[in-house]
């Protein structure tokens, strides 16, 4: 369970410690360097301020050192000293950062209670990043007892402060009526604020509202505009909706080649349960294009890349692995700069889960986890990260096999005898919300709630076990510890709205083991099976399966 970091106040106590006039010399220069992402120059300005006792400078410098931003060498020990001092002085960024460190066990012994305490202190000061982080933790039950009502309260408080991620979450909940009463009008208001800030899921929600007229007036051209903005960031359902509108001339001028292009983007990035429908819609338009238009659209598609959305995670994919926000409080009377997310110079990262299926180190995961990766690494339990390469991939079934040099004492075994039934208990093992939580495998339990996925897709189980971004590609195990499926990315309910005009709730899916085994057979990858054995507890199953489960990191650029 980790948390994100930022700062706005806490400097009132410092004023008496710094000489008049020179107290904040260099602060504005440091802020300017931060805003242009010149972290080395920012560190040079913050360092003397930190030496003089400026808590905000300590927190900001600590962030730079903790993540090695801008090529500044990472120094966990010095970073933690600075962040601890800033936190003790009441600086929310320092408190938030220190809470994150304790939750992740990085630079300090892992201590969940201390992590929650420091995040809570920052949240008490109204620090939006901490409020949002606590909302994520309590709403999902990731590392703390699940309490959706408490999570919603944290989201609501952060949303009231204009925090885009929380506005987006409240829009989703209010539209769907999950954990809060349905309120489409307020959902649209929340979505508009988050969409304007660049949140692609909010942009999609707003597009759906304008397309259907729910929560306000219909406005098809504006709906298309918001679908386009989300589609440009790689949101598959938004791309599909935009393509359909262009192809049909619904709300804007018909343009078959442009419609085909966006339908293709949606089809390529679609989750497994929507893949066949999206491909069919795309191919239906392809048959109406001239060979020249088709060739031009396909060439454009081959060169297309989604627009970076900063710290916003990819819609429908694994959560981006970015360090906490590093906004910091300026001296009193100075307006705070926009929050900036750094990544230690590593580039954008996606993360997910996989599990070892063969003695030669082959790892099975979702295809979307390793989509567009420039490099991939896998980290086993109690091990070091090692490189991996894609050995085989089937985007239609959303499965991929990675070649690694792992040689573990054991491998995952697929259940070979009795079929599962609705109501059977299962366990999910994975690495959800990895930018917030520790890199220890997370174990959650649930049941098989349906023997088919969305629209009767027989390739999937529907499960009640909580699934978050980062669980993608992890094993679904029965209560004897044999693998019965591969967890899919959590399907955001909003993404179904483009097909139905409504947003369902609590949709979690896993690809059935027989589909995974067929994929392995098709690619001549050996694996092991076992009969279901004695039933154990979720803890027993998790203890065994997490030994063969790996954390996957994908460098996107």
């Amino acid at each position: 369970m980790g948390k994100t970091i930022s700062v706005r106040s806490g400097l009132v106590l410092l004023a008496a410690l710094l000489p008049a006039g020179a107290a904040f010399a260099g602060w504005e220069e440091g802020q300017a360097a931060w805003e242009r992402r010149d972290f080395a120059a920012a560190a040079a300005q913050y360092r003397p301020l930190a030496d003089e006792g400026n808590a905000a400078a300590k927190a900001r410098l600590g962030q730079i050192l903790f993540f090695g931003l801008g090529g500044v060498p990472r120094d966990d020990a010095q970073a933690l000293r600075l962040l601890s001092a800033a936190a003790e002085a009441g600086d929310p960024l320092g408190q938030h950062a220190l809470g994150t460190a304790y939750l992740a066990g990085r630079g300090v012994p892992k201590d969940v209670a201390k992590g929650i305490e420091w995040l809570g202190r920052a949240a008490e000061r109204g620090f939006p990043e901490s409020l949002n982080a606590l909302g994520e933790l309590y709403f999902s039950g990731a590392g703390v007892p699940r309490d959706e009502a408490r999570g919603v309260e944290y989201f609501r408080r952060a949303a009231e402060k204009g925090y885009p991620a929380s506005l987006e979450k409240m829009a989703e909940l209010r539209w769907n009526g999950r954990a809060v009463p349905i309120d489409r009008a307020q959902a649209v208001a929340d979505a508009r604020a988050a969409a304007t800030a660049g949140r692609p899921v909010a942009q999609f929600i707003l597009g759906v509202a304008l397309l259907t007229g729910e929560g306000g007036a219909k406005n098809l051209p504006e709906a298309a505009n918001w679908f386009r903005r989300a589609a440009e960031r790689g949101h598959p359902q938004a791309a599909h909706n935009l393509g359909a509108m262009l192809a049909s001339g619904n709300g804007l001028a018909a343009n078959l080649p442009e419609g085909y292009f966006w339908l293709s983007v949606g089809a390529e990035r679609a989750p497994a349960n929507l893949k066949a429908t999206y491909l069919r819609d795309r191919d239906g338009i392809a048959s109406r294009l001239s060979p020249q238009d088709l060739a031009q659209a396909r060439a454009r598609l081959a060169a297309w890349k989604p627009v970076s959305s900063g710290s916003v995670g990819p819609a429908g994919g694994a959560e981006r692995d970015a360090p906490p926000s590093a906004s910091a409080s300026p001296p009193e009377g100075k307006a705070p700069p926009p929050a900036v997310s750094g990544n230690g110079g590593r580039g954008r990262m996606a993360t997910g889960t996989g599990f070892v299926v063969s003695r030669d180190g082959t790892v099975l995961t979702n295809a979307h986890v390793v989509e567009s990766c420039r490099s991939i690494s896998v980290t086993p339990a109690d091990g070091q990260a090692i490189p991996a390469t894609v050995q085989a991939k089937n985007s239609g079934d959303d499965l991929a096999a990675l070649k690694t040099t792992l040689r573990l004492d054991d491998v995952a075994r697929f259940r070979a005898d009795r079929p599962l039934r609705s109501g059977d208990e299962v366990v999910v093992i994975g690495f959800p919300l990895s930018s917030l939580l520790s890199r220890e495998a997370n174990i959650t339990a649930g049941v098989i709630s349906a023997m088919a996925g969305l629209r009767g897709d027989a390739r999937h189980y529907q499960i009640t076990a909580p699934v978050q971004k980062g669980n993608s590609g992890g094993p679904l195990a029965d209560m004897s510890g044999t693998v019965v499926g591969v967890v899919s990315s959590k399907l955001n309910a909003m993404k179904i709205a483009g097909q139905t005009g409504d947003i369902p709730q609590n949709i979690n899916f896993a690809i059935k083991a027989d589909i995974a085994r067929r994929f392995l057979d098709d690619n001549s990858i050996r694996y092991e099976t076992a009969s279901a054995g004695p039933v154990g507890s979720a803890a027993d199953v998790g203890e065994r399966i997490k030994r063969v489960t790996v954390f996957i990191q994908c460098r996107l650029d």
Side-chain angles (χ1 to χ4, degrees):
M1 305 173 303
K3 303 174 184 184
T4 6
I5 304 174
S6 311
V7 179
R8 297 197 178 178
S9 56
L11 297 180
V12 176
L13 299 176
L14 296 176
L17 302 178
L18 302 173
F24 299 111
W27 176 266
E28 291 186 354
E29 292 84 352
Q31 295 295 79
W34 183 275
E35 290 177 1
R36 66 176 182 268
R37 294 180 176 267
D38 186 350
F39 299 114
Q45 296 295 334
Y46 294 137
R47 198 176 297 276
L49 291 173
D51 291 343
E52 293 171 1
N54 184 321
K58 288 180 180 180
R60 183 66 67 89
L61 180 59
Q63 281 288 84
I64 294 172
L65 293 169
F66 199 59
F67 292 102
L69 299 176
V72 176
R74 253 181 59 175
D75 188 334
D76 285 1
Q78 186 181 2
L80 265 297
R81 285 194 295 271
L82 289 163
L83 294 172
S84 296
E88 293 288 355
D91 188 282
L93 174 56
Q95 292 169 339
H96 186 84
L98 191 59
T100 302
Y102 275 115
L103 289 166
R106 178 175 158 194
V108 292
K110 182 178 178 180
D111 190 325
V112 172
K114 282 188 177 180
I116 293 289
E117 177 188 353
W118 282 113
L119 282 180
R121 290 192 190 187
E124 287 172 3
R125 302 175 70 90
F127 196 54
E129 286 88 341
S130 291
L131 290 167
N132 185 74
L134 289 170
E136 292 280 3
L137 293 168
Y138 281 104
F139 194 84
S140 64
V144 294
R146 188 171 186 175
D147 187 339
E148 288 192 354
R150 189 172 182 181
V152 168
E153 179 61 18
Y154 281 121
F155 287 136
R156 183 189 61 77
R157 290 170 59 191
E160 288 176 351
K161 294 180 175 296
Y163 192 64
S166 293
L167 283 163
E168 183 177 64
K169 185 67 175 181
M170 290 306 301
E172 175 182 351
L173 297 176
R174 284 168 169 152
W175 185 280
N176 183 47
R178 178 177 176 184
V180 296
I182 290 177
D183 186 342
R184 296 284 167 84
Q186 186 59 49
V188 169
D190 293 338
R192 187 174 292 278
T196 302
R199 302 288 301 190
V201 172
Q203 291 168 344
F204 176 67
I205 297 170
L206 186 55
V208 170
L210 292 162
L211 181 66
T212 63
E214 294 192 63
K218 274 190 180 183
N219 187 325
L220 299 189
E222 188 181 358
N225 177 58
W226 286 112
F227 285 144
R228 181 180 295 276
R229 292 177 68 172
E232 287 172 346
R233 286 169 168 78
H235 192 290
Q237 286 81 353
H240 179 84
N241 286 4
L242 175 62
M245 293 179 77
L246 285 162
S248 64
N250 183 24
L252 65 173
N255 186 327
L256 281 182
E258 186 74 2
Y260 172 81
F261 172 78
W262 287 113
L263 286 169
S264 298
V265 171
E268 285 202 352
R269 305 177 71 84
N273 66 301
L274 296 177
K275 194 82 170 181
T277 299
Y278 282 16
L279 288 170
R280 184 175 63 247
D281 291 348
R282 180 202 67 184
D283 293 344
I285 299 302
S287 65
R288 298 164 57 188
L289 293 178
S290 69
Q292 182 179 7
D293 283 342
L294 194 60
Q296 289 177 348
R298 287 173 174 170
R300 179 183 169 194
L301 186 66
W304 183 83
K305 290 184 179 180
V307 174
S308 172
S309 53
S311 60
V312 177
E319 184 180 77
R320 297 269 173 85
D321 176 31
S325 167
S327 63
S329 296
E332 276 197 303
K334 303 287 186 179
V340 179
S341 292
N343 58 11
R346 297 174 298 159
R348 293 181 300 123
M349 304 291 288
T351 66
T353 304
F355 56 103
V356 180
V357 296
S358 69
R359 301 287 172 176
D360 66 1
T362 300
V363 169
L364 184 65
T365 187
N366 287 147
H368 76 255
V369 169
V370 294
E371 182 181 9
S372 304
C373 296
R374 298 178 71 90
S375 64
I376 306 168
S377 67
V378 300
T379 307
D382 302 321
Q384 299 296 315
I386 63 170
T389 56
V390 176
Q391 181 176 350
K393 186 169 70 168
N394 182 326
S395 296
D397 287 332
D398 197 20
L399 292 168
L402 306 182
K403 186 176 182 61
T404 78
T405 58
L406 282 174
R407 297 296 183 269
L408 302 185
D409 295 334
D410 200 3
V411 298
R413 294 177 178 84
F414 291 97
R415 177 164 163 161
D417 55 353
R418 302 187 309 275
L420 287 178
R421 302 169 299 168
S422 293
D424 279 346
E425 294 179 276
V426 288
V427 175
V428 167
I429 301 93
F431 298 90
L433 304 173
S434 63
S435 64
L436 291 177
L437 308 182
S438 72
R439 297 292 164 77
E440 179 182 350
N442 190 280
I443 300 164
T444 57
V447 300
I448 301 291
S449 56
M451 298 299 293
L454 195 65
R455 295 179 177 170
D457 189 339
R459 297 174 300 172
H460 296 89
Y461 295 118
Q462 186 172 342
I463 59 176
T464 65
V467 172
Q468 307 296 331
K469 292 179 181 179
N471 275 121
S472 302
L476 178 74
D478 64 17
M479 301 311 291
S480 70
T482 57
V483 173
V484 295
V486 182
V487 176
S488 300
S489 286
K490 179 180 180 179
L491 293 179
N492 189 314
M494 247 59 63
K495 297 177 182 179
I496 314 303
Q499 296 292 303
T500 65
D502 195 11
I503 300 182
Q505 57 182 331
N506 195 28
I507 300 176
N508 302 321
F509 293 121
I511 301 163
K512 292 180 179 178
D514 59 345
I515 303 298
R517 291 175 62 181
R518 184 179 67 193
F519 166 75
L520 296 172
D521 288 337
D522 289 346
N523 290 282
S524 301
I525 297 171
R526 301 184 66 177
Y527 56 89
E528 297 184 16
T529 63
S531 299
V535 171
S537 68
D540 294 333
V541 174
E543 188 65 30
R544 181 203 176 293
I545 299 297
K546 72 181 183 180
R547 293 196 294 266
V548 297
T549 302
V550 298
F551 175 66
I552 297 176
Q553 287 183 291
C554 159
R555 186 189 299 272
L556 297 169
D557 57 17

